[in-house]
Amino acid sequence: MTSQRPVSCGLEYSCASDLPKCLDDARSSKFDFICINLVHPLYKREFISGLAKDRPGPFTRPDLILPSSDWNSVIAKFPPLINVDSPNPIIRKNSEETLKQEMSLASHFSLPSILIKLRYGISENVNLARIISEKIIQNNCYQVWVEVPMENPKKQTYSYRSEKCPKIAEESPWEWWNAFRTLCDYNKKMGIALVVSHDLPESDEIDRWLGEPVRCLILQTSVFLTNKKGYPVLSKAHQGLVKKFAALEVQFLLRGCTYFTSSTYHNYLDFLWKGCQKHGTVERFAKGYEDYLQNPLQPLMDNLESQTYEIFEKDPVKYREYQTAICEALKAIASKIEKRQIIIMVVGAGRGPLVTASLNAADLTCLDVKVYAVEKNPNAVITLQAIQRDMWKDKVTVVSCDMRNWTPPELADIIVSELLGSFGDNELSPECLDNVMQFLKDDGINIPQSYTSYIAPIQSHKLHCEVRQLRDKDRHPLAHFEMPYVVHLQNKYDIANPQPLFTFKHPNPDVFKDNSRYETKIFSVTQNCVLHGFSGYFTTVLYENIILSIEPNTISPDMFSWFPIFFPIKEPIQLKAGDELVVHFWRKCSPNKVWYEWCLSKPVPVSIHNSNGRSSTIGL
């Protein structure tokens, strides 16, 4: 487990005439970096036939003014006079050459990031996007922070005085950014420097930014209030904003005239940052796994390693709830039979936590039980046999066998399993338990009794870029977009609430057992956004009202055994407020594998992903 990153703050200088002193002053106030113009903002250059015509000598200070290690604490911004999208060809040409010259200088200094400000309008940054893409591809060095205001500075209110004066639709700054990153082909080197406004937008608009690669919050000093003790503070609303973005581990950039000493701003942001950090069980376990793509486990095909067992056995919630469910099931069985030994079968016993939970439940209910621990992993069986010899004794019989091939000596009153994956059925619990239910008495109880998968549409620039990096030359060109991933979702915007998808019950009441499924779900889009894929969750009823859930609205607190699952789509889909999003999901089965297929039919048709399991299957 890694420790929480401390707050990272920068200080912007409108003009840094003495750069070493500015950097020293910022560091003495505990700031981590400074943001400056590399060239004096009023220094205008004229380019003729690619040659600069300007004053003699260097056009700015040399790299020798700072050691190379100190340049790592400098972020370059560019003067507002640069307008590479100007309709005037002379201004545009000069701006292009100036920008390229300064970007080349930033690369030469090995700066960690540069700050580029978008002009206000969806179509006002097309040429800028071309230049940025070109330079990133050529240099592939610094990060590009795209400065975007949180609210449209040109927002105006129009009345309906007459038909000649209609209300003009307001462009959202998010739409400027969305157009710009699309033009730049979702380049992973780009992030957002979000300018925090005095009047914050609606909560939904703020949440939409949570699905974007926000690297930095730019805080104007004028946004701060003065508390009773004379120190700078943020309003409750702005504190809530910082708390939301703290989960993305953003940096801060302080801009404007400082009405207090610089260190007081830093001290306050550091205090606020520490208060935003979560230190719960899930946060400690999941640290470092945020938005990290993992292939789902296939324990039916692959034998899990000792480390994997150990991690999940530390979950403080899952086995407590399983034990409670077994207790209630034992009481129910005992109430309708004469006094006798109750047979429990733990199928897929692993290293034995459910066996221990069963024995604990028997002690708590003062009932006599016999437990069969069935496990196919020969390495885990060694552990089971050792524990049985040293602790469980004759209360437990260890069976080294695949549960589907076992012939038990007697029927069970209770069957217990933990075969669930992040999507409920994706580790093939239905296929396994359908075979095992023949071991259960007619009035027996299976734990879990049922489970349901959920899906929700999400926007996540981060996850889309991560999937794009997974190209495999030996597979289908888009195979990486046709498989699900287990991921601790963090940098995402939920376009709509999750809806239930597939449900499985055990014992299965159907006469003809068929675990294939097909469902269509309809989601309403409330604001303009981009669809990058679907998040998947599940809930399970262990017994009666004892439930485990990773679905956000009913999540079991402090449980970390399962991260959500993510189903990507090949190309981002632009959605408009009021759109109806229609998604189709299939669970397909064959004698030796199971797979998922998914597609969209509205607002635009999207091809079926993973057709016939060509890119991703789960082996039986």
mmCIF file of all heavy atoms in Angstrom, residues 35 87 91 105-106 132 155 228 232 267 294 301 326 363 392 403 482 509 548 556 589 609:
data_model
loop_
_atom_site.group_PDB
_atom_site.id
_atom_site.type_symbol
_atom_site.label_atom_id
_atom_site.label_comp_id
_atom_site.label_asym_id
_atom_site.label_seq_id
_atom_site.Cartn_x
_atom_site.Cartn_y
_atom_site.Cartn_z
ATOM 1 N N CYS A 35 4.635 28.824 -12.605
ATOM 2 C CA CYS A 35 4.167 28.909 -13.989
ATOM 3 C C CYS A 35 4.534 30.289 -14.517
ATOM 4 O O CYS A 35 4.143 31.311 -13.937
ATOM 5 C CB CYS A 35 2.662 28.688 -14.042
ATOM 6 S SG CYS A 35 1.969 28.711 -15.706
ATOM 7 N N PRO A 87 -8.332 34.808 -38.267
ATOM 8 C CA PRO A 87 -8.683 34.855 -39.696
ATOM 9 C C PRO A 87 -7.692 35.680 -40.509
ATOM 10 O O PRO A 87 -7.645 35.559 -41.740
ATOM 11 C CB PRO A 87 -10.072 35.507 -39.688
ATOM 12 C CG PRO A 87 -10.138 36.288 -38.410
ATOM 13 C CD PRO A 87 -9.314 35.516 -37.421
ATOM 14 N N ILE A 91 -1.312 37.515 -38.920
ATOM 15 C CA ILE A 91 -1.333 37.227 -37.472
ATOM 16 C C ILE A 91 -1.225 35.728 -37.238
ATOM 17 O O ILE A 91 -0.488 35.273 -36.357
ATOM 18 C CB ILE A 91 -2.622 37.790 -36.832
ATOM 19 C CG1 ILE A 91 -2.630 39.321 -36.932
ATOM 20 C CG2 ILE A 91 -2.737 37.330 -35.386
ATOM 21 C CD1 ILE A 91 -3.915 39.961 -36.423
ATOM 22 N N LEU A 105 11.439 25.578 -27.307
ATOM 23 C CA LEU A 105 12.267 25.985 -26.179
ATOM 24 C C LEU A 105 11.881 25.208 -24.917
ATOM 25 O O LEU A 105 12.740 24.768 -24.156
ATOM 26 C CB LEU A 105 12.113 27.489 -25.946
ATOM 27 C CG LEU A 105 13.064 28.134 -24.939
ATOM 28 C CD1 LEU A 105 14.513 28.014 -25.403
ATOM 29 C CD2 LEU A 105 12.691 29.602 -24.717
ATOM 30 N N ALA A 106 10.577 25.023 -24.708
ATOM 31 C CA ALA A 106 10.110 24.248 -23.549
ATOM 32 C C ALA A 106 10.630 22.817 -23.601
ATOM 33 O O ALA A 106 11.017 22.238 -22.581
ATOM 34 C CB ALA A 106 8.584 24.256 -23.497
ATOM 35 N N ILE A 132 -0.592 21.445 -31.711
ATOM 36 C CA ILE A 132 -0.327 20.694 -30.472
ATOM 37 C C ILE A 132 -0.105 19.219 -30.784
ATOM 38 O O ILE A 132 0.842 18.593 -30.291
ATOM 39 C CB ILE A 132 -1.489 20.875 -29.478
ATOM 40 C CG1 ILE A 132 -1.595 22.333 -29.031
ATOM 41 C CG2 ILE A 132 -1.309 19.958 -28.277
ATOM 42 C CD1 ILE A 132 -0.392 22.858 -28.306
ATOM 43 N N LYS A 155 -20.925 34.355 -20.918
ATOM 44 C CA LYS A 155 -22.329 33.989 -20.694
ATOM 45 C C LYS A 155 -23.184 35.246 -20.609
ATOM 46 O O LYS A 155 -22.888 36.158 -19.859
ATOM 47 C CB LYS A 155 -22.459 33.149 -19.418
ATOM 48 C CG LYS A 155 -23.877 32.689 -19.158
ATOM 49 C CD LYS A 155 -23.911 31.604 -18.093
ATOM 50 C CE LYS A 155 -23.385 32.115 -16.775
ATOM 51 N NZ LYS A 155 -23.515 31.114 -15.706
ATOM 52 N N LYS A 228 -12.477 34.889 10.090
ATOM 53 C CA LYS A 228 -12.451 35.780 11.254
ATOM 54 C C LYS A 228 -11.032 36.032 11.752
ATOM 55 O O LYS A 228 -10.753 37.062 12.364
ATOM 56 C CB LYS A 228 -13.303 35.181 12.370
ATOM 57 C CG LYS A 228 -14.785 35.135 12.053
ATOM 58 C CD LYS A 228 -15.567 34.509 13.194
ATOM 59 C CE LYS A 228 -17.061 34.464 12.858
ATOM 60 N NZ LYS A 228 -17.833 33.829 13.972
ATOM 61 N N PRO A 232 -6.919 33.400 4.418
ATOM 62 C CA PRO A 232 -7.713 33.057 3.228
ATOM 63 C C PRO A 232 -8.367 31.686 3.363
ATOM 64 O O PRO A 232 -7.726 30.720 3.797
ATOM 65 C CB PRO A 232 -6.668 33.062 2.108
ATOM 66 C CG PRO A 232 -5.376 32.735 2.783
ATOM 67 C CD PRO A 232 -5.460 33.349 4.154
ATOM 68 N N ASN A 267 -0.714 26.862 3.018
ATOM 69 C CA ASN A 267 -1.080 26.194 4.267
ATOM 70 C C ASN A 267 -2.559 25.830 4.286
ATOM 71 O O ASN A 267 -2.942 24.754 4.750
ATOM 72 C CB ASN A 267 -0.746 27.085 5.465
ATOM 73 C CG ASN A 267 0.747 27.237 5.662
ATOM 74 O OD1 ASN A 267 1.538 26.441 5.150
ATOM 75 N ND2 ASN A 267 1.154 28.257 6.399
ATOM 76 N N GLN A 294 -7.369 -4.332 -15.456
ATOM 77 C CA GLN A 294 -6.924 -5.701 -15.175
ATOM 78 C C GLN A 294 -7.832 -6.679 -15.900
ATOM 79 O O GLN A 294 -9.041 -6.453 -16.015
ATOM 80 C CB GLN A 294 -6.984 -5.989 -13.678
ATOM 81 C CG GLN A 294 -6.157 -5.056 -12.814
ATOM 82 C CD GLN A 294 -6.338 -5.360 -11.337
ATOM 83 O OE1 GLN A 294 -5.794 -6.318 -10.813
ATOM 84 N NE2 GLN A 294 -7.125 -4.542 -10.650
ATOM 85 N N MET A 301 -10.605 -21.923 -15.097
ATOM 86 C CA MET A 301 -9.544 -22.386 -15.998
ATOM 87 C C MET A 301 -8.172 -22.354 -15.337
ATOM 88 O O MET A 301 -7.342 -23.231 -15.563
ATOM 89 C CB MET A 301 -9.503 -21.506 -17.254
ATOM 90 C CG MET A 301 -10.588 -21.776 -18.270
ATOM 91 S SD MET A 301 -10.311 -20.800 -19.759
ATOM 92 C CE MET A 301 -8.738 -21.426 -20.312
ATOM 93 N N ILE A 326 -24.880 -18.047 6.802
ATOM 94 C CA ILE A 326 -24.829 -19.471 7.157
ATOM 95 C C ILE A 326 -25.529 -19.707 8.493
ATOM 96 O O ILE A 326 -26.245 -20.707 8.675
ATOM 97 C CB ILE A 326 -23.370 -19.963 7.185
ATOM 98 C CG1 ILE A 326 -22.747 -19.852 5.787
ATOM 99 C CG2 ILE A 326 -23.292 -21.414 7.667
ATOM 100 C CD1 ILE A 326 -21.235 -20.047 5.755
ATOM 101 N N ASP A 363 -20.878 -23.074 15.696
ATOM 102 C CA ASP A 363 -20.624 -22.798 17.117
ATOM 103 C C ASP A 363 -21.603 -21.763 17.656
ATOM 104 O O ASP A 363 -22.108 -21.891 18.771
ATOM 105 C CB ASP A 363 -19.184 -22.298 17.306
ATOM 106 C CG ASP A 363 -18.149 -23.392 17.072
ATOM 107 O OD1 ASP A 363 -18.529 -24.584 17.142
ATOM 108 O OD2 ASP A 363 -16.979 -23.055 16.799
ATOM 109 N N TRP A 392 -9.286 -28.281 12.092
ATOM 110 C CA TRP A 392 -10.667 -28.681 11.871
ATOM 111 C C TRP A 392 -10.948 -30.123 12.302
ATOM 112 O O TRP A 392 -12.091 -30.450 12.636
ATOM 113 C CB TRP A 392 -11.026 -28.526 10.397
ATOM 114 C CG TRP A 392 -10.944 -27.105 9.901
ATOM 115 C CD1 TRP A 392 -11.087 -25.968 10.628
ATOM 116 C CD2 TRP A 392 -10.698 -26.690 8.551
ATOM 117 N NE1 TRP A 392 -10.961 -24.858 9.833
ATOM 118 C CE2 TRP A 392 -10.716 -25.269 8.527
ATOM 119 C CE3 TRP A 392 -10.476 -27.364 7.350
ATOM 120 C CZ2 TRP A 392 -10.521 -24.530 7.381
ATOM 121 C CZ3 TRP A 392 -10.273 -26.631 6.198
ATOM 122 C CH2 TRP A 392 -10.297 -25.223 6.213
ATOM 123 N N MET A 403 -15.643 -29.524 -8.680
ATOM 124 C CA MET A 403 -17.004 -29.742 -8.141
ATOM 125 C C MET A 403 -17.934 -30.346 -9.185
ATOM 126 O O MET A 403 -18.874 -31.078 -8.839
ATOM 127 C CB MET A 403 -17.579 -28.418 -7.632
ATOM 128 C CG MET A 403 -17.873 -27.382 -8.701
ATOM 129 S SD MET A 403 -18.481 -25.812 -8.057
ATOM 130 C CE MET A 403 -16.963 -25.076 -7.478
ATOM 131 N N GLU A 482 -12.894 -5.018 -27.281
ATOM 132 C CA GLU A 482 -13.948 -6.026 -27.284
ATOM 133 C C GLU A 482 -13.826 -6.992 -26.109
ATOM 134 O O GLU A 482 -14.244 -8.141 -26.204
ATOM 135 C CB GLU A 482 -13.921 -6.806 -28.599
ATOM 136 C CG GLU A 482 -14.285 -5.955 -29.798
ATOM 137 C CD GLU A 482 -14.611 -6.792 -31.026
ATOM 138 O OE1 GLU A 482 -13.991 -7.859 -31.219
ATOM 139 O OE2 GLU A 482 -15.497 -6.394 -31.779
ATOM 140 N N PRO A 509 -35.006 -22.577 -10.831
ATOM 141 C CA PRO A 509 -36.352 -23.164 -10.917
ATOM 142 C C PRO A 509 -36.739 -23.608 -12.316
ATOM 143 O O PRO A 509 -37.751 -24.299 -12.482
ATOM 144 C CB PRO A 509 -37.244 -22.007 -10.435
ATOM 145 C CG PRO A 509 -36.493 -20.767 -10.811
ATOM 146 C CD PRO A 509 -35.031 -21.114 -10.676
ATOM 147 N N LEU A 548 -24.804 -8.699 -0.330
ATOM 148 C CA LEU A 548 -23.530 -8.074 -0.662
ATOM 149 C C LEU A 548 -23.719 -7.326 -1.975
ATOM 150 O O LEU A 548 -24.393 -7.815 -2.885
ATOM 151 C CB LEU A 548 -22.422 -9.111 -0.819
ATOM 152 C CG LEU A 548 -21.987 -9.879 0.427
ATOM 153 C CD1 LEU A 548 -20.933 -10.927 0.056
ATOM 154 C CD2 LEU A 548 -21.449 -8.948 1.494
ATOM 155 N N SER A 556 -21.969 -2.269 -0.360
ATOM 156 C CA SER A 556 -21.633 -2.715 0.994
ATOM 157 C C SER A 556 -20.400 -1.954 1.472
ATOM 158 O O SER A 556 -19.322 -2.098 0.896
ATOM 159 C CB SER A 556 -21.343 -4.226 1.005
ATOM 160 O OG SER A 556 -22.448 -4.957 0.525
ATOM 161 N N CYS A 589 -23.398 -18.683 -24.642
ATOM 162 C CA CYS A 589 -22.816 -19.922 -24.085
ATOM 163 C C CYS A 589 -22.596 -20.954 -25.182
ATOM 164 O O CYS A 589 -23.395 -21.063 -26.118
ATOM 165 C CB CYS A 589 -23.753 -20.524 -23.033
ATOM 166 S SG CYS A 589 -24.201 -19.406 -21.698
ATOM 167 N N HIS A 609 -19.976 -5.660 -30.442
ATOM 168 C CA HIS A 609 -18.633 -5.906 -29.919
ATOM 169 C C HIS A 609 -18.494 -7.375 -29.522
ATOM 170 O O HIS A 609 -19.401 -7.966 -28.944
ATOM 171 C CB HIS A 609 -18.355 -5.015 -28.706
ATOM 172 C CG HIS A 609 -18.181 -3.558 -29.035
ATOM 173 N ND1 HIS A 609 -19.098 -2.822 -29.739
ATOM 174 C CD2 HIS A 609 -17.149 -2.700 -28.751
ATOM 175 C CE1 HIS A 609 -18.659 -1.580 -29.881
ATOM 176 N NE2 HIS A 609 -17.486 -1.477 -29.295
#
